[in-house]
Amino acid sequence: MLPMNPKQLRKLMKQINMEELEGVSEVIIRMGDREIIIKNPTVTVIKAMGEKSYQILGGVEEVRELLKIPEEDIRLVMEQAGVDYETAKRALEETKGDIAEAIIRLTEGQ
């Protein structure tokens, strides 16, 4: 295959309904219990038969495990600490779901 200059490559990509997205700083793929974060990826959109496909190129920067906090835990912390929903949820997230620790943090100094 002969080398192409960037202008020729862009023209060819346009002819086959393919374009590169500019300015993408990160892509986050969320799954049930974790997130995969790709920083500074190259993202290409391919349009075919009325559908769009996204091709993402780049190295995985980070994999985050997501903490699922049951609603009943949030309600219990709300009731015991006398705080609103968001405050209770944030305290549980900060304590990695530890109900007792969340209540203690929220009630210290009251």
Side-chain angles (χ1 to χ4, degrees), residues 2-108:
L2 297 174
M4 292 182 142
N5 70 41
K7 187 175 180 180
Q8 290 173 318
L9 184 58
R10 281 192 298 275
K11 184 177 179 183
L12 177 62
M13 285 175 67
K14 189 171 183 146
Q15 287 175 345
I16 60 172
N17 288 323
M18 187 177 195
E19 68 177 285
E20 188 173 318
L21 294 180
E22 300 293 327
V24 179
S25 60
E26 74 178 10
V27 172
I28 300 173
I29 301 170
R30 288 192 178 99
M31 295 170 283
D33 61 346
R34 61 190 168 120
E35 293 178 337
I36 297 173
I37 300 164
I38 303 167
K39 302 273 187 186
N40 301 312
T42 301
V43 180
T44 306
V45 181
I46 304 162
K47 299 173 191 168
M49 299 183 339
E51 296 286 328
K52 288 183 182 180
S53 296
Y54 294 84
Q55 177 179 333
I56 303 163
L57 299 173
V60 173
E61 282 284 319
E62 183 179 346
V63 176
R64 281 189 219 152
E65 298 297 321
L66 298 177
L67 177 64
K68 288 203 173 204
I69 299 173
E71 284 293 313
E72 58 269 14
D73 292 359
I74 297 170
R75 300 278 176 217
L76 179 60
V77 172
M78 286 173 62
E79 182 182 302
Q80 295 296 314
V83 296
D84 62 51
Y85 183 90
E86 288 304 317
T87 303
K89 183 177 178 185
R90 191 174 332 106
L92 283 164
E93 289 169 347
E94 290 171 359
T95 61
K96 295 183 176 31
D98 186 322
I99 296 169
E101 180 66 25
I103 293 169
I104 290 168
R105 285 188 186 188
L106 291 170
T107 56
E108 282 181 344

